[in-house]
Structure formats: C-alpha cells, structure tokens
Amino acid sequence: MKPLLQLFRAIHALVAILFAFAALMLVAIAARMGWQGFVSDWDQTAAQTIIEAVGLLAAAVVALQIAETITEEEVIRDADISAPTRVRRFLSRFFVVVIVALAIEGLVATFKALHEDPSQLPYAASILVATAFLLAAWGLFVHLNRSAEELEPEAMEDAKREDDKLK
C-alpha cells in the first residue's frame, strides 16, 4: 500500500508543478499585456488592457494557491482529509482565493461590458451573483463544520501538529 501512496504523492507533486507553471505563464502574459497598455496611448483601450491583465493575474493567483495547497496538503503533510478541521481548512484555503478571483473577474467583465458591449452585462452580473452564492455557501459550510469540530476537539490539535511540519 505504501508504494501506491508514494505514487499518488508523486502525481500530486507533478500536478502542483503544472499549476505553478501555468501561474507563471499567466503572470508573464499579464505583465506583457500590462506593459502594452502602459506604453500605448493612455485611453479607454489602454485601461481595458490593464483591467484584462488584472483578471489574468487573479487567475494566476488561483493557480498558484491551488499548487501551494496541493503541495502542503497532499505532498508534505500526511493528513487525514476526513477530519472536520482539515476539511474546513483545506476548502477555506481554496475558496478564499477562488471567490476573490471570481469577484475580480466579475468586475473585469462588468467594465468590459460597460465599455464594449452592454448586452454582456447580464453575463457579468451572473458571475457576481454566483460569486455571492459561493461566498454564502462557504460561510454556511464553515458555520456547520464548526459544530462538527466541537465534537472532535482532538482534530484541531492534530491539524496544529500537522502545521508544524511546514515550519
């Protein structure tokens, strides 16, 4: 069984590396777009280019956070993901980045629709509504999960000990 677990760790490490590489590529593309917006005429087109670069940076942050979470949770730690504390912490790390990135993307889509094609505003609004729904669902999950954590206080201590591996 141990060789199989080592194989899964190696696969997780590879996936984390690919996410990190994708994040670096998105940062490079965003930097290039941002520079193009900066050196062009400082007009609405330049502003739109910068705003789109910000959207790419948000996606890069999501990819990088996923890489970091996979590395910490699946490669470094020998964590039991079934414990309520571990599940809440794992999902919270992921959701905070996804929700922020979706909110930024919704704003980017809103600005783009306002300036280019107002008929796209309902789609931009749907991104923001979905983001609000995810935020509310995440809050409900944390609230309900906290009750489960109170039934297993040793799980929080286990999670804290696992954190020591990262220091």
Side-chain angles (χ1 to χ4, degrees):
M1 187 67 170
K2 247 197 188 313
L4 187 59
L5 292 176
Q6 290 298 333
L7 175 65
F8 285 136
R9 274 198 174 141
I11 293 170
H12 278 109
L14 176 63
V15 169
I17 289 168
L18 292 174
F19 268 111
F21 183 71
L24 290 175
M25 291 299 297
L26 287 170
V27 168
I29 292 167
R32 183 172 181 217
M33 284 178 69
W35 180 253
Q36 287 172 345
F38 181 75
V39 297
S40 68
D41 294 334
W42 287 20
D43 58 5
Q44 184 175 338
T45 304
Q48 191 63 35
T49 301
I50 299 293
I51 290 169
E52 289 178 14
V54 168
L56 286 176
L57 288 173
V61 169
V62 170
L64 197 56
Q65 184 63 40
I66 291 171
E68 181 182 5
T69 301
I70 290 171
T71 301
E72 289 179 6
E73 299 293 337
E74 302 296 341
V75 179
I76 296 173
R77 290 183 177 143
D78 187 21
D80 178 17
I81 198 70
S82 65
T85 300
R86 177 57 50 210
V87 172
R88 178 188 52 77
R89 292 176 72 187
F90 181 82
L91 286 176
S92 290
R93 288 185 66 182
F94 178 72
F95 267 111
V96 71
V97 175
V98 169
I99 288 170
V100 168
L102 282 173
I104 291 170
E105 193 61 37
L107 292 173
V108 168
T110 301
F111 288 130
K112 192 171 185 176
L114 284 171
H115 295 290
E116 291 179 8
D117 184 7
S119 69
Q120 297 295 313
L121 276 173
Y123 301 110
S126 68
I127 293 172
L128 294 171
V129 168
T131 303
F133 178 76
L134 279 175
L135 182 60
W138 174 35
L140 179 64
F141 170 78
V142 168
H143 175 73
L144 295 174
N145 192 264
R146 195 189 71 196
S147 302
E149 287 178 22
E150 290 170 358
L151 296 174
E152 297 180 5
E154 67 277 356
M156 181 60 86
E157 292 304 317
D158 290 343
K160 288 179 183 177
R161 280 192 298 276
E162 290 168 3
D163 289 343
D164 291 338
K165 285 185 179 182
L166 300 175
K167 293 180 183 175

